[in-house]
Amino acid sequence: MGPQHSTVRPSPVAEARSDEELARGLVAGDEDCLAAVYHRWSPLVHMLARRSLGDADEAADVTQQVFLGVWRGRLGFRPERGTIGGWIVGITRRRIADALSARSRRLHLAAAAGATLTVADPTDQRPEAALDRLLVLRELARLPAPQQRVLRLAYYEDLTQTQIARRTGWPLGTVKSHARRGLHQLRRGLRHDEQAEHYT
């Protein structure tokens, strides 16, 4: 069972249960209770995530992660420590913090790789700039085709990830994944070239 099934509308019986009854059913592994928990609290979770992240797609991802965490961590719920709603909000805050941290890492990585890619400015006539352009292009050519496409659209056509998703028809999450992996591999390849130069 996973939260992807929890979007099914809960039975009227489960939906009518009190928070305490839903919590007991959830801990016992009742999937109908999970559906009712999702139905009851997902709007709040999504609103908190959207307000903090400012992005509907990221908020949807966080919401899915929260209820995956609810299901997987249900045995850790302790009613004596608070309500199930408070427990879910606590999970939500942690997932939002994780998403913000991941965003910061992506921005840092993008900035670092972007600085590398801007080395490939064709108007720069210095001999070492030509070498830098060749190195960047060579490392780009080594990437899988989807990662190449995302990075070229991002850095040579200055498209946002949302625009790239529209252009390619890929889900935004797929675009983000290709960008993250491509930048990581690009930086690793360029760093390897720099280290090799020190030993030649």
Side-chain angles (χ1 to χ4, degrees):
M1 160 66 193
Q4 67 268 24
H5 297 122
S6 65
T7 55
V8 175
R9 191 169 184 85
S11 70
V13 173
E15 199 166 9
R17 289 179 182 174
S18 68
D19 292 355
E20 293 76 13
E21 289 172 325
L22 284 180
R24 285 195 295 272
L26 178 70
V27 171
D30 185 333
E31 296 184 10
D32 199 30
C33 285
L34 173 62
V37 165
Y38 180 90
H39 184 70
R40 191 169 296 179
W41 279 285
S42 62
L44 173 63
V45 169
H46 189 272
M47 182 195 71
L48 291 172
R50 178 71 185 267
R51 186 181 295 167
S52 298
L53 300 170
D55 182 280
D57 291 316
E58 282 189 279
D61 288 343
V62 165
T63 301
Q64 182 177 8
Q65 290 165 21
V66 165
F67 286 96
L68 181 63
V70 165
W71 179 251
R72 290 178 174 171
R74 64 190 183 277
L75 296 179
F77 173 66
R78 295 289 179 267
E80 64 273 14
R81 296 181 185 171
T83 65
I84 187 170
W87 181 62
I88 290 171
V89 168
I91 294 173
T92 301
R93 287 178 176 149
R94 289 193 293 276
R95 292 293 181 267
I96 289 171
D98 291 344
L100 289 170
S101 295
R103 178 189 288 177
S104 295
R105 288 194 300 272
R106 287 196 304 270
L107 289 173
H108 177 74
L109 185 59
T116 301
L117 285 171
T118 55
V119 166
D121 181 0
T123 63
D124 193 339
Q125 299 302 315
R126 293 175 297 121
E128 60 270 26
L131 177 59
D132 288 337
R133 284 196 297 276
L134 288 174
L135 288 174
V136 170
L137 290 172
R138 186 187 70 182
E139 291 304 324
L140 269 175
R142 289 177 172 174
L143 298 178
Q147 295 176 14
Q148 276 191 54
R149 187 175 184 194
V150 167
L151 292 183
R152 289 180 186 277
L153 288 172
Y155 291 100
Y156 294 123
E157 296 192 32
D158 200 27
L159 298 183
T160 66
Q161 291 182 332
T162 301
Q163 290 170 331
I164 293 171
R166 288 198 199 104
R167 171 82 67 90
T168 60
W170 296 335
L172 182 59
T174 300
V175 171
K176 290 179 179 179
S177 178
H178 286 323
R180 182 172 62 251
R181 291 174 184 165
L183 288 170
H184 178 71
Q185 191 169 329
L186 181 65
R187 289 186 66 207
R188 186 172 53 195
L190 292 170
R191 198 160 47 232
H192 180 269
D193 287 335
E194 288 175 2
Q195 290 171 350
E197 285 181 12
H198 292 307
Y199 294 103
T200 55

